[in-house]
Amino acid sequence: MNKLPYFELVSFDICPYVQRSVITLLHKKIEHKITFIDLEQTPEWFDQMSPLGKVPLLLVRDTPESEPTVLFESAIINEYIDEISPPRLVSEDPLTRARERAWVEVSSELLGSLYGVQIAQTAAERDEALREVWDLFPAIEKGVSGGKFFSPQGFSLVDTAFAPGFVRMLLLPGVDQAPEWKKFPKTHAWAKALVATPEVKNSMIPNFNERYFAYLKSRGSIWAK
Ligand SMILES: N[C@@H](CCC(=O)N[C@@H](CS)C(=O)NCC(=O)O)C(=O)O
């Protein structure tokens, strides 16, 4: 691999979108620094740099001190990291690659619906949001390979995109054991295998569970009552 730029990932410690990029960096064994910010009180440098006010940002520098080029949007950050560090985590074939990108979009839908589940204030809100989540699963079950990873070819950017959603689903009491999983055995096996991979396990801060439930509590979520 040619010498890579210096990477600084701007993170909020429990953000699933940031986690996608951490997984990719870890999988590729790419050196990087992580800078955590508080999204409730964002520093001014972040406000200046982030076009949408969101994490992750990947700051890309030629030297440790140089002005960074700012990349934003987790899926795009992942594609960039993948492009500069072979072997690729996407298919060589344009049509298959386009389909993989489309599946990354599905994972973003899943994260969007899961957000509703996580911050639900009442049982009714939770159940409604959970229905949205499970509604995505018949399509996912049809798409997934049946092996440890989404694609039969092995670990790909589709896996990095879905993993943070599966981590959270398997953490929420009751959702981890939900009867719905039985209808989607391939997706269930995939989710379980994925969350057990070293890059996914190591992509989380050491006290992730505690921080995650503290965050849900701070949002008045039913999961933390
Ligand atoms: N589409 C974005 C979503 C990123 C996102 O929503 N990040 C959240 C934290 S998990 C955020 O920064 N929220 C701050 C805000 O919306 O003001 C991506 O994939 O990077």
Side-chain angles (χ1 to χ4, degrees):
M1 215 188 288
N2 289 334
K3 189 175 172 347
L4 295 176
Y6 292 85
F7 293 126
E8 179 177 357
L9 191 68
V10 182
S11 169
F12 174 60
D13 57 3
I14 54 163
C15 173
Y17 300 96
V18 174
Q19 195 186 352
R20 286 171 159 181
S21 298
V22 179
I23 295 168
T24 309
L25 287 163
L26 291 177
H27 181 86
K28 296 258 182 170
K29 300 190 168 52
I30 293 178
E31 224 175 281
H32 60 280
K33 166 183 171 187
I34 300 189
T35 299
F36 294 101
I37 62 163
D38 179 356
L39 282 175
E40 297 291 320
Q41 268 186 307
T42 52
E44 205 181 314
W45 59 263
F46 173 78
D47 300 337
Q48 303 285 340
M49 275 183 183
S50 177
L52 298 174
K54 294 181 181 187
V55 290
L57 295 182
L58 184 70
L59 312 186
V60 183
R61 293 183 172 91
D62 292 334
T63 69
E65 276 81 36
S66 59
E67 274 301 301
T69 300
V70 179
L71 270 189
F72 56 104
E73 285 298 321
S74 59
I76 308 301
I77 291 173
N78 275 2
E79 286 183 13
Y80 164 72
I81 296 169
D82 186 43
E83 272 181 37
I84 56 155
S85 58
R88 301 291 303 272
L89 293 176
V90 291
S91 171
E92 294 275 308
D93 170 57
L95 184 58
T96 309
R97 196 161 67 240
R99 281 177 54 78
E100 287 168 349
R101 279 206 204 98
W103 281 108
V104 170
E105 279 299 310
V106 176
S107 79
S108 297
E109 285 284 318
L110 175 65
L111 283 179
S113 300
L114 262 181
Y115 186 69
V117 172
Q118 295 167 122
I119 60 156
Q121 312 281 300
T122 63
E125 279 176 24
R126 177 199 59 205
D127 294 346
E128 160 103 43
L130 267 174
R131 250 192 308 279
E132 253 182 50
V133 166
W134 291 119
D135 279 352
L136 289 167
F137 275 62
I140 299 172
E141 182 73 7
K142 259 197 241 165
V144 72
S145 69
K148 253 179 88 175
F149 302 115
F150 181 82
S151 147
Q153 276 73 47
F155 191 86
S156 73
L157 290 188
V158 180
D159 297 290
T160 69
F162 269 94
F166 289 151
V167 164
R168 286 153 183 78
M169 285 183 77
L170 295 172
L171 257 187
L172 292 172
V175 180
D176 56 342
Q177 306 287 338
E180 279 82 355
W181 285 114
K182 294 219 162 47
K183 293 187 235 158
F184 312 114
K186 288 194 293 173
T187 311
H188 195 201
W190 173 40
K192 292 194 111 165
L194 203 50
V195 302
T197 58
E199 49 275 74
V200 174
K201 286 208 275 191
N202 294 331
S203 64
M204 293 183 287
I205 52 166
N207 57 341
F208 180 84
N209 293 13
E210 204 182 302
R211 266 286 297 138
Y212 177 65
F213 284 104
Y215 173 78
L216 297 189
K217 190 164 188 187
S218 75
R219 301 298 309 265
S221 162
I222 187 161
W223 300 97
K225 280 178 184 154

